Amino acid sequence: KKANQTKDEL
Amino acid sequence: MNVFRLTGDLSHLAAIIILLLKIWKSRSCAGISGKSQILFAVVFTTRYLDLLTSFISLYNTSMKLIYIGCAYATVYLIYVKFRATYDGNHDSFRVEFLVVPVGGLAVLINHNFSLMEILWTFSIYLESVAILPQLFMISKTGEAETITTHYLFCLGLYRALYLLNWIWRYYFEGFLDMIAIFAGLVQTVLYCDFFYLYVTKGGKDRKKVMLP
């Protein structure tokens, strides 16, 4: 799922 | 990284610095909701636990440390150093009415049922409503200092820019995070009333009157 990409946002 | 996310982060950083400097220089936290600042400290703490587990970039790590540091410094100034100027009577929003539903929602609706993911989701939902005690306090006092309105403008603008960032990332990277987008929309909508007043009353009077 796209949402599980690494959380690279603040 | 895109221009919307970068300007969003800088707007967020500006808001945090504006508030910290305002309290530090005026040696007063009159008109500032300590409850909102505690909620923001909780938002950053629960969201940035990944500082301990993963490294994304120097920018990412340094910004997270700055946000967390400033958030706790602001809470310290309000509740310890300048507590005599803290307007507890007007800062009366019942934050448990925010934290409990947000906590329940984070457990029910998330991307996966792991502790880190639920804490991140809790942080995202909490951030969308964390400004309510501050907006509530201003509606009770009926006014806000100009510098406080600039703080709120930058803070509201940051998530609005993030919405544009998510459109950009969906179009160019296929990135889609409905939880962040939904919470970001709620967060930005909560500022709309304030944005309208900020723009229409901008620069006219020293004490911006906020209609309740």
Side-chain angles (χ1 to χ4, degrees):
Chain A
K1 284 191 321 177
K2 296 261 182 260
N4 279 357
Q5 276 170 349
T6 53
K7 302 215 182 306
D8 61 349
E9 295 185 340
L10 290 178
Chain B
M1 176 60 81
N2 59 66
V3 64
F4 299 114
R5 197 165 115 208
L6 184 59
T7 45
D9 288 341
L10 294 179
S11 180
H12 193 189
L13 181 64
I16 290 171
I17 301 295
I18 285 171
L19 182 66
L20 194 54
L21 285 183
K22 175 245 184 277
I23 297 176
W24 178 254
K25 289 215 180 305
S26 68
R27 303 184 69 75
S28 161
C29 59
I32 302 299
S33 164
K35 294 185 174 183
S36 276
Q37 297 312 312
I38 290 176
L39 292 179
F40 284 125
V42 170
V43 164
F44 294 143
T45 307
T46 50
R47 188 177 306 179
Y48 299 154
L49 290 173
D50 62 352
L51 278 170
L52 308 172
T53 58
S54 63
F55 177 81
I56 290 163
S57 71
L58 192 61
Y59 171 81
N60 189 276
T61 300
S62 50
M63 288 291 270
K64 287 177 178 177
L65 292 173
I66 292 169
Y67 285 4
I68 287 179
C70 290
Y72 280 102
T74 303
V75 169
Y76 169 79
L77 291 184
I78 293 173
Y79 286 99
V80 179
K81 194 153 179 59
F82 304 127
R83 70 179 171 283
T85 65
Y86 171 57
D87 184 3
N89 296 326
H90 287 119
D91 191 11
S92 54
F93 195 94
R94 304 286 300 277
V95 291
E96 55 272 30
F97 291 162
L98 297 178
V99 174
V100 174
V102 157
L105 194 64
V107 172
L108 293 175
I109 304 176
N110 50 62
H111 290 313
N112 64 45
F113 200 78
S114 71
L115 179 66
M116 289 293 277
E117 190 67 27
I118 288 178
L119 285 176
W120 177 85
T121 310
F122 170 75
S123 159
I124 290 288
Y125 293 151
L126 185 61
E127 186 188 8
S128 63
V129 293
I131 200 61
L132 281 176
Q134 179 65 67
L135 296 178
F136 177 76
M137 181 175 191
I138 288 178
S139 70
K140 276 191 80 175
T141 56
E143 63 183 6
E145 286 181 56
T146 306
I147 190 75
T148 307
T149 59
H150 295 323
Y151 158 70
L152 288 168
F153 178 73
C154 291
L155 199 58
L157 184 65
Y158 125 76
R159 214 60 179 172
L161 288 167
Y162 254 70
L163 292 173
L164 298 177
N165 152 66
W166 287 319
I167 294 170
W168 172 291
R169 293 193 72 180
Y170 177 67
Y171 184 73
F172 287 103
E173 302 167 27
F175 176 89
L176 185 64
D177 185 341
M178 288 314 289
I179 285 180
I181 291 172
F182 168 72
L185 276 171
V186 168
Q187 183 168 338
T188 304
V189 163
L190 289 178
Y191 283 86
C192 285
D193 163 46
F194 167 75
F195 281 145
Y196 171 73
L197 287 165
Y198 182 81
V199 172
T200 51
K201 290 191 187 302
K204 206 180 278 182
D205 50 350
R206 206 191 77 75
K207 284 257 180 197
K208 276 200 213 319
V209 178
M210 304 276 292
L211 301 177

